[in-house]
Structures are given as structure tokens and as C-alpha cells.
Amino acid sequence: ELKVEQNPLFLSMQEGKNYTIYCNYSTTSDRLYWYRQDPGKSLESLFVLLSNGAVKQEGRLMASLDTKARLSTLHITAAVHDLSATYFCAVGGWETSGSRLTFGEGTQLTVNP
Amino acid sequence: NAGVTQTPKFRVLKTGQSMTLLCAQDMNHEYMYWYRQDPGMGLRLIHYSVGEGTTAKGEVPDGYNVSRLKKQNFLLGLESAAPSQTSVYFCASNDPTGELFFGEGSRLTVL
């Protein structure tokens, strides 16, 4: 059974600081996704990582994937208040039965002025 | 472009009542999913469909039924609602990369 663990689960940081959220998973997978969720809202796709060593950046966020270590990181650079949200990683392989993703518990990020 | 649309967005039920959540997508995706989200538990897959006329069980299927009579629609039914089914329900579909596109969610309370 695939297990996905994120840490930390809660993160409070100051504007301008850097930090990393970690996503570990228990079995081999070639696909990893990061989503953002604002309170009371739906999930918004941030990054799709499809191969070992993949790195993607969008604004102050950068995601990477190490399939050998079964680890993905979401790095936040010079945080701003607008980044406050819950971030989920999701892991899954492409199966004939579709893209059955397993989600981590989520990391609730609060960026303080 | 509507993407994935869920109705209703809010619903309150009494224990034992039944209801159906409707999900519609206009992206011509083959695969569709129903998830539930509970505090501290991330999203858990209830049922999914790999195409019109097909459905399969996910991680937490008990107490739910689904149907996919048309490619663009995926229905989630609760035959006899229980308080443990109080949750936020998300429908999703995916593109060929496996990336999921979510609806806005349906908040269900069972009293």
C-alpha cells in the first residue's frame, strides 16, 4: 500500500524567509504532483513531476523529485503572505485503471508579515 | 471554460436520507474520480471511473455508489446517509499526464 507523508504538517514563517516542505512516499512511483488549496476552496495544480531529477519553478516556488530516494521537495523562496495556503503532494503511477493518486495529509503554511 | 462542475455545493441531510452529487466535466477526459476530504486526512478516493459505463472502488467506497452513464458526468450517491459521511466531496478528472483537475467541492453535513 502506497503511503505518502508530508512534513511539516504545520509551518509558520515570516515574510522574506526560505523554507522547504518534504514529501516522502513508500513505493516506487514515476509521477508526483503538488497542489495548493486555499481555505474553503478547491485544489489548484502547481507542479507535475514526471521523471527522476525533474525540477520545476513557478515564481517563489520550486519543486523537485528524486525517485530513488522517494522524495519530493517544495522549496519556498522569500515567502510572501499570498503563499499562505495548504499544500498537498500526491503520488501515483499511471495504471491501466487510471491515475489513482494517493495524497499526503497536507502542509498548512502561514506566512506572517 | 467550465472545467469540472459539481452540484450541489452545500447540502444538509438527516441520517438515513439519500442524495446524489453530480459532477460534470467538459474537457473530454476519460477518467473521473470522487474524493472526500476530512480534516487531517488529506483526500481519500471513494470511487473512480476509467470511461463511460465503468466504475471501480477506491480506498473508502463503503456507503457510496456511483454511475457513469455519460462520459462527461459522474454521479455519487448516498443511499442512507450517516453522520460519518459528513465531509467535503471533490470530483476530479485527469488529462493524459495524470494531472487531476478538481471541481469546487460539495460540502455535505449529515445530522
Side-chain angles (χ1 to χ4, degrees):
Chain A
E1 178 186 351
L2 174 60
K3 294 188 185 299
V4 181
E5 293 184 352
Q6 288 182 233
N7 73 84
L9 297 183
F10 299 93
L11 176 56
S12 180
M13 55 190 300
Q14 286 185 312
E15 282 190 329
K17 298 294 186 182
N18 304 332
Y19 209 83
T20 300
I21 298 170
Y22 297 89
C23 175
N24 292 273
Y25 53 98
S26 61
T27 64
T28 301
S29 176
D30 60 352
R31 295 168 182 261
L32 191 138
Y33 308 80
W34 284 96
Y35 290 87
R36 168 182 171 144
Q37 186 179 35
D38 292 300
K41 303 293 186 181
S42 185
L43 283 81
E44 172 191 358
S45 179
L46 292 174
F47 299 108
V48 178
L49 303 171
L50 301 178
S51 61
N52 186 42
V55 177
K56 291 195 174 180
Q57 183 164 3
E58 180 72 31
R60 301 175 187 274
L61 300 177
M62 183 174 70
S64 65
L65 177 61
D66 181 343
T67 58
K68 294 180 181 178
R70 298 177 185 167
L71 170 68
S72 179
T73 61
L74 180 66
H75 187 72
I76 303 156
T77 301
V80 293
H81 180 69
D82 286 350
L83 290 179
S84 296
T86 299
Y87 294 85
F88 292 92
C89 65
V91 179
W94 186 254
E95 307 160 357
T96 55
S97 58
S99 180
R100 293 185 56 181
L101 300 186
T102 299
F103 283 80
E105 291 183 28
T107 296
Q108 187 175 318
L109 172 64
T110 302
V111 181
N112 302 304
Chain B
N1 190 355
V4 180
T5 304
Q6 294 179 226
T7 53
K9 296 197 171 32
F10 301 93
R11 185 74 188 268
V12 178
L13 290 177
K14 294 181 180 179
T15 297
Q17 288 185 317
S18 63
M19 74 158 295
T20 300
L21 297 176
L22 170 64
C23 177
Q25 53 97 3
D26 61 1
M27 297 173 283
N28 202 35
H29 288 165
E30 291 291 339
Y31 303 108
M32 296 186 74
Y33 310 82
W34 276 106
Y35 287 88
R36 62 177 287 173
Q37 185 177 33
D38 302 292
M41 301 189 74
L43 278 80
R44 293 181 293 169
L45 182 63
I46 305 171
H47 285 281
Y48 64 101
S49 169
V50 301
E52 182 179 315
T54 73
T55 63
K57 295 180 179 180
E59 181 185 355
V60 288
D62 294 341
Y64 305 95
N65 56 76
V66 288
S67 64
R68 184 98 180 268
L69 299 179
K70 295 183 179 181
K71 184 178 182 179
Q72 64 268 35
N73 296 336
F74 195 28
L75 280 63
L76 177 70
L78 285 71
E79 292 183 345
S80 180
S84 61
Q85 295 178 303
T86 293
S87 187
V88 181
Y89 292 85
F90 286 99
C91 176
S93 65
N94 69 255
D95 71 4
T97 71
E99 180 182 3
L100 289 174
F101 294 84
F102 286 88
E104 293 183 0
S106 297
R107 187 175 297 273
L108 174 66
T109 301
V110 183
L111 304 175

